[in-house]
Structures are given as C-alpha cells and as structure tokens.
Amino acid sequence: MSVDTRPSEAPSGDLPGDLLDVAEGEDLVDALAAHGWGDGLPLVAPTPERVDAMLAGCPDADPDEVVAVLPPRFGEATRRTLAVNAVMTGCRPEHLPVLVAAVRALARPEVNLRGVNATTHNVAPLVVVHGEVARTAGYHGGLGALGPGNRANAATGRALRLVLLHVAGATPGDGDASTQGGPTKYGLCVAENAGASPWPAYPSAVGVDAPSAVTVHCGEAPHNVHDMESDDPARILDKVASAMATTAQNNACISQGEYLVLLCPEHAATCAAAGWSRRDVSSYLFQKARLPAAELKQAFQLRAWAPWMNRLADDDPAPMTEHPDNIRVMVVGGPGKHSSVVPSWGMTRTVTVPLDETGPRSC
Amino acid sequence: MLIHRPDGGVAQAPAELAPSPPVLAGRRIGILDNRKPNADVLLERLADRLVERTGATVVRTETKNAAIACSDQVLGLLAEEVDVILTGTAD
C-alpha cells in the first residue's frame, strides 16, 4: 500500500484526519486509484501548500463551511474539499468561486443530482460561465470552446467531475450506474459568448441579474447542427428542431425535459437580423421539434407526459417538451456555422446562480 | 509527501439493510415497483413465487417515477404495513 490512509472520522498518529502520506517516488495516480479516487488521467498532488494557495480564491469565506451535500454519498462539499479537487486538475485560485457556484447549483433540489449521478443514462453536467468572471478568470466561449485548449474550461470542468466522483460518490459501478458512461463525464465547462450574442446575456433571460453567474445543465453530449447556407432563421432552426426530435433520448418520454440550444454566433446573428428574439427562437423550436404522437407512444410504453400531452390524438404532432421555456438558448462558439443541441437527462432542471449570491467575494 | 484527501466527510451514514427474517411464512411482503421498464415483471414473478411457497401476503405499491427517489411518506406507510420490502431496478 503506497498511501497511508487516515480516515477523517478516526484520525491517528500525528497527521490531521484529512491528510494522507504518499510515499516518495510512488505514482500519485496509482496511489489515489487504490482508494477509488481519480478519473484515470494525471493529477496534481493536493499538498497543504497548494490547497491553501487555492483557497486564496475565496479569501473571506470559511474554508470549512459545508456549501453543499452531494448525493448519492451525501458527501459534504466544503470549500477546502473543493479546493483539493481544484488543485488536482490544475485550476487557478480564480477558478475556485466558479467551482463553488457550480456545486451549489448542482445541489439545488430541482437538479435531482441523486438521479443525475446514479442513472444508467450518460448524463453529465455542462457548466456555463457568464459575465465578468468569464473574462477575469479566463473562461473561453469562442472558437472551439466546447473542446480542448483552454485551462479554465478544462480544469474547472474536470474539477467538478472529481467532486462528483470523490465527494458525491458517483463512481462507475457504485454511485454511477451509467451503462456506457460518456466523454462528457470527464468534464464540460464553457463560457457563454455574450460578446458575440445579439441578445442579452443568458442569465437575464432567467431572471438572474448579476455581474457573474454560473449555469449547470445536466444532459447528453452536444449534438451537432450544421447549416452553412441559410439566411433564413427558419431554415437553420428546422435543422435544430430535427436534432431535438428523436426518440433516442430521455426527453422523448418526459415532458418536462429541457434542451440547451447552443447557437453559434453566425446562426444567432441570422436569427436576430430577421428580428427574432431569444424567445422567438424557443417558441419556433417548440412548434417545430415534434414527432407524431403515435410514434412516441409506440416508442415508449412508460411516459411521464403532462396530462394535455397524453390526450393528443395519434396523428397529432407531439412536442418534444411541454413548454417553450424548456428550450434554453444561448450563444457559444466562434466563426463558422455549427451549433449544438444538448438534450437534458429528463428529470432535471437547468439552474443558473449568481456568483455574488454565493457568499463573500463571490465565493 | 502529505496530501489532502479529496472526498471529505459524509453528512449521513450509509443506510444498512435490515436483517432478513429467518422465515417468510406468514410474513407481509411489500412490492415497491420503481417503475423501471421490466421491474414490474421481475417483482411480480418473484412475489407470486413467494406467495406460492410461503403463504406470505403481498402489498403492492410504486414510486412516482424511476428517476426520483421514493418519498418518505410512501416508505413510512410501507414500513408500517409490511415486514419485508422487495424492490429493484431493471431496464
């Protein structure tokens, strides 16, 4: 055994309860994996010095305050524990407030984190960073934003996954029953590209008025939408609707399911140039993303549909979700004409929290 | 090298399974269908066999949705009405 474990409940020797001693020369990833920790990728050692330095990101907040309790393990997420995981993925201190806010958001009951973590579905949280903190802490919402290459996006998204593995206990085969898993379970964090959006920043659309905010949306991996030629919003959004209207997703049998529609700046600009608001986009997609009710009934015997949807005749076009508000639109990406649809897991709601509501100094 | 544990404490201890009764004959068995597809098939068949073999009585109930935890109210009522609960997941 290369790691000396001292359970926090029963400290022994001269080490505080939350410290471990890793033998000199031992492989850190292997040593932590012996405890069931880590995601398989290289990790930074969370030494006390590094963790203290990380906590400088929340300078006026109590590091040992429990900011959330995360199921299914019901682990207590303190700022210190979050800082430990943030160190492990290479976050900088300025990323810690975003991680804290994302964890607070995931702990909201409407997210249904127990279900999100434990389901057989491949759902994973997508974190979207909005406003001032996106600029000051270096989050990227432009070209290739959903992919590799930006430290803030990569390290924060992965740190949140480590929190879910370590604190929430969402370990595959134990607290996570996902049949196939999925690449987004390594982490997914992006900034809204508000500077390239023709509409007000997304938080204002959901009643969050703050300089900085964080959104969490628990869903599938992004589904690509490709349209290189249209100058008509309807022609673009018909393709978005096509990506939404499939029977191969949880939302097809759960009427409260949400869709996060990440429009690229050029698609959004085409919509706005024709006078379409964000609400117009959602409303159009609500009307167009439909399948014959008979097809959905044939596909799913068990349906958690709103009562009015259950009264649709077989040849009626059934919407993929019960209300336009469940279709959430924001701008992400850079030049080019590819957008994305992120169907939710179903029994979960997207949550946006302001950073300035999360405690002293945005933490 | 000293490092911090990344998991932290737990707010509530994991629930333990209650000890199984040594004999099922005459017991009241609760079937808690979690509404996963095919869970009902498995549970109903299991219940039928147990009734045949032991003479146990069966109480059936179900959760609201497979993706949401069973309410404390339903669990409390079941705990009053039955001696053993069979539940499960399926797909």
Side-chain angles (χ1 to χ4, degrees):
Chain A
M1 178 65 74
S2 55
V3 170
D4 177 16
T5 61
R6 316 267 170 135
S8 53
E9 297 82 3
S12 62
D14 56 0
L15 289 179
D18 67 340
L19 290 179
L20 310 172
D21 192 2
V22 179
E24 199 64 38
E26 289 292 327
D27 184 286
L28 179 67
V29 174
D30 288 343
L32 293 171
H35 290 265
W37 297 330
D39 61 0
L41 292 169
L43 296 161
V44 177
T47 61
E49 296 77 18
R50 287 173 177 154
V51 172
D52 286 346
M54 182 62 66
L55 282 167
C58 298
D60 299 325
D62 177 1
D64 296 312
E65 179 192 1
V66 176
V67 299
V69 174
L70 305 178
R73 177 174 171 264
F74 297 101
E76 295 175 323
T78 65
R79 291 184 185 83
R80 190 183 307 280
T81 304
L82 299 182
V84 170
N85 287 279
V87 166
M88 293 170 81
T89 65
C91 286
R92 294 184 189 278
E94 58 265 35
H95 304 147
L96 184 60
V98 172
L99 181 62
V100 172
V103 167
R104 283 186 189 275
L106 280 180
R108 289 264 288 267
E110 61 265 41
V111 170
N112 188 12
L113 185 62
R114 171 190 170 278
V116 165
N117 278 336
T119 179
T120 52
H121 189 269
N122 64 5
V123 53
L126 163 61
V127 178
V128 186
V129 185
H130 310 277
E132 188 73 9
V133 73
R135 183 181 61 78
T136 58
Y139 290 91
H140 181 51
L143 187 73
L146 288 164
N150 177 271
R151 179 172 178 174
N153 292 16
T156 305
R158 189 179 170 215
L160 183 62
R161 172 50 54 183
L162 290 191
V163 170
L164 295 180
L165 288 166
H166 301 151
V167 182
T171 47
D174 188 0
D176 178 355
S178 180
T179 305
Q180 292 190 317
T184 56
K185 281 181 179 279
Y186 282 97
L188 190 56
C189 175
V190 70
E192 177 185 16
N193 194 347
S197 172
W199 305 302
Y202 173 81
S204 66
V206 291
V208 174
D209 179 21
S212 300
V214 170
T215 295
V216 293
H217 170 84
C218 296
E220 300 181 0
H223 298 213
N224 185 61
V225 176
H226 158 225
D227 183 300
M228 297 221 174
E229 55 189 288
S230 301
D231 55 7
D232 171 16
R235 207 159 168 230
I236 294 169
L237 295 178
D238 286 350
K239 295 183 177 74
V240 174
S242 164
M244 294 168 61
T246 78
T247 57
Q249 54 178 287
N250 279 23
N251 284 1
C253 57
I254 295 172
S255 62
Q256 67 170 261
E258 295 182 331
Y259 292 86
L260 189 59
V261 176
L262 303 175
L263 290 180
C264 66
E266 292 178 26
H267 284 165
T270 299
C271 295
W276 291 40
S277 66
R278 170 185 273 122
R279 177 71 180 182
D280 291 330
V281 171
S282 295
S283 297
Y284 185 81
L285 292 172
F286 175 71
Q287 292 293 337
K288 298 294 284 194
R290 299 191 176 212
L291 289 171
E295 186 175 335
L296 288 164
K297 291 175 183 175
Q298 170 70 23
F300 299 100
Q301 221 172 355
L302 291 173
R303 298 182 303 273
W305 274 3
W308 68 268
M309 288 177 65
N310 276 314
R311 295 300 301 271
L312 292 172
D314 282 357
D315 55 355
D316 284 337
M320 299 304 294
T321 185
E322 68 191 35
H323 198 280
D325 286 350
N326 292 340
I327 302 168
R328 300 171 178 273
V329 179
M330 64 179 74
V331 173
V332 166
K337 294 182 183 294
H338 291 269
S339 293
S340 297
V341 170
V342 186
S344 81
W345 168 57
M347 300 302 286
T348 181
R349 311 298 290 176
T350 300
V351 168
T352 301
V353 296
L355 257 66
D356 61 0
E357 193 185 81
T358 58
R361 300 283 294 270
S362 300
C363 205
Chain B
M1 173 177 59
L2 293 181
I3 62 170
H4 281 280
R5 295 174 62 99
D7 56 350
V10 292
Q12 63 187 69
E16 301 289 339
L17 289 175
S20 300
V23 180
L24 286 174
R27 298 281 183 172
R28 299 165 301 170
I29 296 177
I31 302 296
L32 179 59
D33 180 358
N34 63 356
R35 299 198 69 208
K36 270 281 187 181
N38 300 318
D40 56 341
V41 176
L42 175 70
L43 292 169
E44 290 288 343
R45 195 162 299 175
L46 189 57
D48 289 346
R49 292 285 173 85
L50 286 172
V51 169
E52 286 172 17
R53 292 186 183 182
T54 69
T57 56
V58 171
V59 175
R60 292 176 173 81
T61 190
E62 62 183 25
T63 56
K64 187 177 178 186
N65 185 286
I68 297 174
C70 184
S71 71
D72 290 341
Q73 185 185 17
V74 170
L75 289 177
L77 287 172
L78 265 178
E80 289 176 7
E81 292 182 11
V82 304
D83 304 306
V84 177
I85 295 177
L86 301 177
T87 189
T89 187
D91 266 331

